[in-house]
Amino acid sequence: ADVARLNQEKERFKEEKKEVERDIPPPLLDRFYRIAAGREGRALARAMDEQCEGCGMRIRPQLYQEVKEMDSVLSCESCTHILYWEESDDEA
C-alpha cells in the first residue's frame, strides 16, 4: 500500500514539475539544469549576509543588493549557483 501511494505521489510531482517548467523560459531552464548537473543536483543557493551559501564566498555588495531586488536571475561569481534571497531574522 505504501509503495502504491509513493508511486502516485511521484507521478503527481512529475506532473507539477512539468507545469512549472512550462512557465520558465527555455534558456533559463537549460541554465538551471546545466548548473545542477555540475553541482550534485543543486542549481540554487541562498544569498545571506553577503555570502553565497552554496560555496561560502562573499558576494560583492552591489551584487547582493541586486539579488535582494530580484529583478533578474543572478549567479554567484565564484560557484555559478543561481542566487536567491530570503529575509533572515537579522535583516528583518
Side-chain angles (χ1 to χ4, degrees):
D2 287 339
V3 173
R5 182 182 53 80
L6 291 173
N7 282 330
Q8 282 181 327
E9 279 188 43
K10 180 180 172 183
E11 291 305 314
R12 184 174 52 85
F13 287 133
K14 282 183 181 181
E15 289 302 316
E16 286 180 25
K17 179 182 171 189
K18 286 179 188 177
E19 287 179 33
V20 170
E21 286 180 344
R22 279 192 278 267
D23 295 335
I24 300 173
L28 181 56
L29 196 57
D30 290 343
R31 178 177 166 192
F32 175 88
Y33 281 117
R34 190 174 49 253
I35 294 168
R39 302 276 183 252
E40 299 175 358
R42 292 181 25 231
L44 303 177
R46 182 168 63 167
M48 187 169 155
D49 299 328
E50 293 189 9
Q51 280 191 319
C52 169
E53 289 193 343
C55 66
M57 294 298 291
R58 188 169 187 278
I59 300 170
R60 290 181 299 109
Q62 178 63 37
L63 179 60
Y64 186 66
Q65 288 304 316
E66 291 173 9
V67 170
K68 287 173 71 172
E69 291 169 8
M70 295 187 278
D71 289 335
S72 61
V73 178
L74 301 166
S75 293
C76 174
E77 295 169 333
S78 179
C79 69
T80 71
H81 278 104
I82 297 170
L83 296 170
Y84 70 94
W85 179 80
E86 289 180 331
E87 188 172 355
S88 69
D89 292 337
D90 295 338
E91 295 172 318

